[in-house]
Amino acid sequence: MADLDPQLNYAPEDIRHIHIMGVCGTGMAALAGMLQQSGYTVTGSDSYVYPPMSDFLKKLQIPVCDGYSAQNLDSDPDLVIVGNVITRVNEEAQRLGELPIPYLSFPQALSHFYINNRTSLVISGTHGKTTTCSLLATALHRAELDPTFMIGGIIREFGGNFRIGEGDYFVAEGDEYDTAFFNKVSKFLHYQPKIAVITSIEFDHADIFNDLDAIKDSFRQFVSLLPEDGLLIANWDDENVRDVVAGAKCQVQKYGLDESYHWSLADVTVKGGLTHFAALHQGKPYGELAVKLPGRHNALNSLAVTAILHHLGVDAKTICAGLSSFGGVKRRQEVRGIEAGVTVIDDFAHHPTAVKETLAALRLAYPEQRLVVVFEPRTNTSRRSIFQTDYVQAFDAADAICIREPVPLTNINEGEHFSSAQLADDLCKQRGLVATSFTDTEAILEYLDNQVEPGDVVAILSNGGFDNIHIRLLDLLKNKNL
């Protein structure tokens, strides 16, 4: 078995052609677009392609090899970027190990090409990274600071999830997931933070972290990277965040619900998809804000962005205007369509806390309508039994719940698998909810076709393509309406 040569883990000076392994990941596809825009010839390979990234790459005319193969490197690229979905035994990775081609991981490449010469603004935390990054990028753009960014979701403001600007700032989504099979550290440790946010810390990513303490250790390493003249904006309502930032050598600003913090919220109200709130700075009124995202958690995300922009010298009026102009992120409480009076919403939520917050926000946004939730456990963590009981507390805001049985993980014991049937039974017996498990997507669609009525809201929660269930449901509803 050919291992990658550590001596080749660098970016050569003369680069024309870059090949990306795992190009259809949200972040990798964005990086492909950035590199192409910077003048490089970009190719890629992946094993599974689904919208929106497949459409995104096709629009950019970036060639994508269907499946991993040794032959994909026959074009002799100058640099290969290896995604963290690639394993050591991957056929294409094995071929890379036999060739004298330099290689980088995704975060190494992002840092080398785009962060090195800019001030890095890193949004980290278990929840809210993509939305907070998107809010920040939009507000910086509205403030004419011309940011560069790469984010894990398609921002409506820009029609994409990346941008190369001429300004001083780079907005990075600080993912704690690991970098690559040859570099088993969190991605955000490569992002050279100058200003950072930590939104929350909970146990997640059970496939790479043994426990919460392991995750906190990684965040402590991240905090240690901030220079003395840097700034850390921390959600002080979160005990784990408070613990992790205790040793920070930079300035720390607290944000949350308590007026004693540097930044706090007041008068939060939600109507439709709009959240209104007052931002307080040092306990005093700072500005009235409104964002086109439902939920208190999104008000807190906006508050963290406000703290960054204020630190950068942006005035309150410009901050408020920038946040209010935010049009949303695809797959974050995104309305995919309305047919036969039924609203179909797509959301990325998969961790129990994210599911609970998302559904609470949707209940506030649609208080008089029946909320039908369709949940697909798809991540390596959600397909394990580790959150089996935690999910029981996450669906209280729903009127009916459909849960797809997950595709079983092959690398764990049978007793460690998550059971959708068990969750549905617990939701019925322990919480008094209407919940049903299904073996496949087709069965869910048949159920919804027979059950949903005009005025219903169907919220589909998954971090994957979910067999294109959103469009298929809308088509069923459209045909019913004919």
Side-chain angles (χ1 to χ4, degrees):
M1 183 178 295
D3 286 329
L4 301 185
D5 183 353
Q7 300 295 322
L8 291 172
N9 186 204
Y10 71 95
E13 290 186 12
D14 186 17
I15 302 175
R16 295 180 297 276
H17 174 197
I18 299 173
H19 180 74
I20 301 178
M21 297 169 59
V23 72
C24 293
T26 304
M28 295 293 268
L31 180 60
M34 294 175 77
L35 291 167
Q36 184 193 62
Q37 187 174 325
S38 297
Y40 300 100
T41 297
V42 181
T43 59
S45 57
D46 213 307
S47 60
Y48 181 50
V49 182
Y50 59 83
M53 287 303 108
S54 57
D55 298 336
F56 176 72
L57 291 165
K58 185 177 181 180
K59 183 178 179 180
L60 293 176
Q61 298 183 328
I62 293 176
V64 179
C65 301
D66 187 7
Y68 300 111
S69 168
Q71 284 71 44
N72 292 344
L73 298 177
D74 286 351
S75 58
D76 194 26
D78 302 302
L79 175 68
V80 174
I81 299 174
V82 183
N84 68 353
V85 299
I86 307 300
T87 64
R88 189 180 305 276
V89 298
N90 179 289
E91 178 183 351
E92 202 166 315
Q94 283 291 296
R95 180 57 179 158
L96 179 61
E98 298 168 352
L99 298 170
I101 300 175
Y103 64 92
L104 296 173
S105 66
F106 162 74
Q108 286 176 326
L110 194 64
S111 183
H112 172 79
F113 288 103
Y114 300 106
I115 298 179
N116 273 342
N117 298 319
R118 295 178 172 90
T119 299
S120 183
L121 315 177
V122 184
I123 308 298
S124 70
T126 307
H127 310 298
K129 293 186 292 293
T130 297
T131 299
T132 308
C133 279
S134 302
L135 283 162
L136 177 57
T138 300
L140 287 167
H141 178 63
R142 291 295 185 186
E144 300 183 351
L145 292 173
D146 202 11
T148 298
F149 61 80
M150 201 293 296
I151 295 170
I154 304 297
I155 309 174
R156 293 191 177 280
E157 174 79 12
F158 304 99
N161 62 339
F162 72 89
R163 183 175 185 274
I164 301 175
E166 297 296 327
D168 295 332
Y169 302 110
F170 185 94
V171 178
E173 186 167 338
D175 190 354
E176 70 271 24
Y177 205 77
D178 67 352
T179 293
F181 72 82
F182 54 87
N183 185 212
K184 303 298 283 185
V185 301
S186 293
K187 292 178 183 175
F188 57 32
L189 298 181
H190 292 281
Y191 290 162
Q192 308 174 51
K194 180 66 179 292
I195 298 174
V197 171
I198 304 180
T199 64
S200 54
I201 299 176
E202 288 193 82
F203 182 58
D204 198 2
H205 310 307
D207 51 325
I208 62 170
F209 291 108
N210 290 329
D211 49 33
L212 176 60
D213 285 340
I215 290 178
K216 289 166 73 172
D217 284 344
S218 192
F219 273 92
R220 287 189 183 95
Q221 292 179 58
F222 174 69
V223 170
S224 72
L225 296 176
L226 285 151
E228 290 185 7
D229 62 344
L231 172 66
L232 177 57
I233 298 163
N235 179 0
W236 219 247
D237 294 333
D238 189 311
E239 180 181 356
N240 293 322
V241 174
R242 296 198 301 270
D243 183 25
V244 159
V245 306
K249 58 180 178 284
C250 66
Q251 177 190 0
V252 176
Q253 290 188 8
K254 309 169 186 177
Y255 78 96
L257 302 178
D258 194 310
E259 285 189 17
S260 68
Y261 300 161
H262 296 87
W263 296 91
S264 59
L265 294 178
D267 304 326
V268 180
T269 59
V270 180
K271 187 174 183 180
L274 203 64
T275 299
H276 298 265
F277 65 96
L280 305 181
H281 185 216
Q282 306 286 13
K284 298 178 181 179
Y286 181 81
E288 300 290 329
L289 293 92
V291 291
K292 298 184 181 74
L293 293 167
R296 188 179 65 181
H297 63 297
N298 282 316
L300 286 168
N301 293 336
S302 302
L303 188 66
V305 170
T306 300
I308 293 176
L309 295 169
H310 177 77
H311 180 77
L312 296 179
V314 181
D315 64 87
K317 182 178 179 180
T318 303
I319 293 172
C320 294
L323 291 174
S324 66
S325 72
F326 179 63
V329 187
K330 284 185 178 292
R331 310 218 61 212
R332 269 63 178 183
Q333 299 173 25
E334 178 191 9
V335 176
R336 294 291 295 270
I338 302 174
E339 292 289 352
V342 177
T343 302
V344 177
I345 292 175
D346 184 12
D347 196 87
F348 200 75
H350 47 274
H351 186 282
T353 300
V355 170
K356 184 175 183 177
E357 290 289 347
T358 296
L359 298 185
L362 290 175
R363 171 52 65 212
L364 287 171
Y366 301 95
E368 305 299 327
Q369 295 171 256
R370 188 169 73 132
L371 179 59
V372 181
V373 177
V374 182
F375 176 55
E376 181 192 34
R378 186 178 178 275
T379 66
N380 286 331
T381 301
S382 63
R383 287 188 285 166
R384 299 168 189 257
S385 60
I386 191 163
F387 288 142
Q388 185 76 53
T389 58
D390 295 84
Y391 279 118
V392 178
Q393 316 295 322
F395 291 87
D396 285 356
D399 296 299
I401 304 111
C402 304
I403 312 160
R404 190 192 191 283
E405 285 291 352
V407 177
L409 291 166
T410 58
N411 60 340
I412 63 173
N413 297 326
E414 185 175 346
E416 298 177 39
H417 285 236
F418 175 82
S419 170
S420 292
Q422 182 64 54
L423 175 58
D425 189 58
D426 289 342
L427 289 170
C428 295
K429 293 179 178 178
Q430 296 182 32
R431 312 300 287 184
L433 298 171
V434 178
T436 312
S437 64
F438 299 84
T439 57
D440 54 41
T441 305
E442 285 66 28
I444 295 174
L445 284 166
E446 182 179 354
Y447 174 88
L448 293 172
D449 190 33
N450 292 323
Q451 293 293 322
V452 296
E453 300 175 351
D456 287 352
V457 175
V458 179
I460 299 171
L461 312 184
S462 171
N463 76 320
F466 205 159
D467 302 322
N468 205 27
I469 189 174
H470 320 81
I471 299 302
R472 293 167 67 187
L473 175 58
L474 287 167
D475 286 344
L476 285 173
L477 294 169
K478 184 177 182 180
N479 290 333
K480 179 183 288 190
N481 203 34
L482 293 177

